[in-house]
Amino acid sequence: MIYKFSPKGVCSREMIVDIEGDTIKSAEIIGGCAGNTAGVASLIAGRKIDEVIKLLKGIPCGVKGTSCPDQLAKGLEEIKEKLKI
Protein backbone atom coordinates (compact mmCIF):
# COMPACT_ATOMS: atom_id res chain seq x y z
CA MET A 1 0.00 0.00 0.00
CA ILE A 2 1.27 3.45 -0.86
CA TYR A 3 1.47 6.14 1.83
CA LYS A 4 2.21 9.83 1.27
CA PHE A 5 3.15 12.43 3.83
CA SER A 6 4.61 15.93 4.01
CA PRO A 7 7.78 16.36 6.06
CA LYS A 8 8.22 19.41 8.30
CA GLY A 9 11.24 21.69 8.67
CA VAL A 10 13.26 20.25 5.76
CA CYS A 11 13.82 20.92 2.07
CA SER A 12 11.87 17.91 0.80
CA ARG A 13 8.18 18.48 0.10
CA GLU A 14 6.68 15.01 0.02
CA MET A 15 7.59 11.44 0.89
CA ILE A 16 5.94 8.46 -0.80
CA VAL A 17 6.45 5.00 0.67
CA ASP A 18 5.14 1.69 -0.63
CA ILE A 19 4.77 -0.77 2.24
CA GLU A 20 3.86 -4.45 2.18
CA GLY A 21 3.33 -5.97 5.62
CA ASP A 22 6.16 -4.56 7.75
CA THR A 23 8.56 -4.12 4.82
CA ILE A 24 9.26 -1.04 2.71
CA LYS A 25 9.00 -2.03 -0.96
CA SER A 26 10.07 1.36 -2.28
CA ALA A 27 10.29 5.03 -1.36
CA GLU A 28 10.46 8.34 -3.18
CA ILE A 29 11.42 11.67 -1.63
CA ILE A 30 10.30 14.73 -3.59
CA GLY A 31 12.55 17.77 -3.22
CA GLY A 32 15.58 18.04 -0.99
CA CYS A 33 19.13 17.16 -2.01
CA ALA A 34 18.53 14.93 -5.02
CA GLY A 35 21.49 12.59 -4.60
CA ASN A 36 21.02 12.17 -0.87
CA THR A 37 17.28 11.57 -1.01
CA ALA A 38 17.63 9.11 -3.92
CA GLY A 39 20.34 7.31 -1.95
CA VAL A 40 18.22 7.07 1.19
CA ALA A 41 15.25 5.81 -0.83
CA SER A 42 17.42 3.16 -2.48
CA LEU A 43 19.00 2.02 0.78
CA ILE A 44 15.69 1.51 2.62
CA ALA A 45 13.98 -0.53 -0.12
CA GLY A 46 13.44 -4.09 1.09
CA ARG A 47 14.10 -3.28 4.76
CA LYS A 48 11.74 -3.65 7.71
CA ILE A 49 10.06 -0.48 8.97
CA ASP A 50 11.52 -0.85 12.49
CA GLU A 51 15.05 -1.22 11.10
CA VAL A 52 14.73 1.95 9.03
CA ILE A 53 13.29 3.94 11.93
CA LYS A 54 16.18 2.84 14.14
CA LEU A 55 18.74 3.81 11.48
CA LEU A 56 17.31 7.21 10.53
CA LYS A 57 15.56 8.67 13.58
CA GLY A 58 17.35 11.63 15.11
CA ILE A 59 19.72 12.43 12.24
CA PRO A 60 20.11 16.24 12.10
CA CYS A 61 20.73 18.48 9.08
CA GLY A 62 22.77 21.49 10.12
CA VAL A 63 21.01 23.52 12.79
CA LYS A 64 17.49 22.44 11.75
CA GLY A 65 17.15 19.83 14.49
CA THR A 66 15.74 17.40 11.94
CA SER A 67 16.56 16.13 8.45
CA CYS A 68 14.94 14.35 5.53
CA PRO A 69 16.00 10.95 6.97
CA ASP A 70 14.66 11.94 10.41
CA GLN A 71 11.37 13.09 8.88
CA LEU A 72 11.15 9.82 6.97
CA ALA A 73 11.57 7.91 10.24
CA LYS A 74 8.85 10.02 11.88
CA GLY A 75 6.52 9.40 8.94
CA LEU A 76 7.19 5.67 9.16
CA GLU A 77 6.35 5.76 12.87
CA GLU A 78 2.98 7.31 12.00
CA ILE A 79 2.34 4.70 9.32
CA LYS A 80 3.32 1.92 11.71
CA GLU A 81 0.86 3.26 14.28
CA LYS A 82 -1.95 3.36 11.69
CA LEU A 83 -1.18 -0.20 10.58
CA LYS A 84 -0.79 -1.39 14.16
CA ILE A 85 2.39 -3.32 13.34
Side-chain angles (χ1 to χ4, degrees):
M1 180 166 275
I2 295 178
Y3 297 89
K4 298 180 182 185
F5 54 93
S6 299
K8 295 176 179 56
V10 296
C11 299
S12 59
R13 298 180 308 277
E14 183 176 38
M15 297 186 177
I16 305 163
V17 185
D18 188 4
I19 295 174
E20 186 174 293
D22 66 346
T23 302
I24 299 166
K25 289 176 56 177
S26 65
E28 181 180 7
I29 302 171
I30 310 298
C33 304
N36 290 335
T37 55
V40 167
S42 178
L43 289 169
I44 68 170
R47 293 185 184 247
K48 302 286 185 193
I49 294 172
D50 285 338
E51 178 185 10
V52 172
I53 291 169
K54 184 178 177 182
L55 289 169
L56 302 181
K57 189 172 180 180
I59 294 175
C61 181
V63 296
K64 294 179 184 179
T66 190
S67 65
C68 292
D70 182 54
Q71 289 295 301
L72 180 57
K74 289 178 180 181
L76 289 172
E77 287 178 325
E78 290 176 15
I79 292 167
K80 185 178 165 185
E81 191 173 303
K82 286 180 188 176
L83 296 176
K84 297 185 183 353
I85 54 173

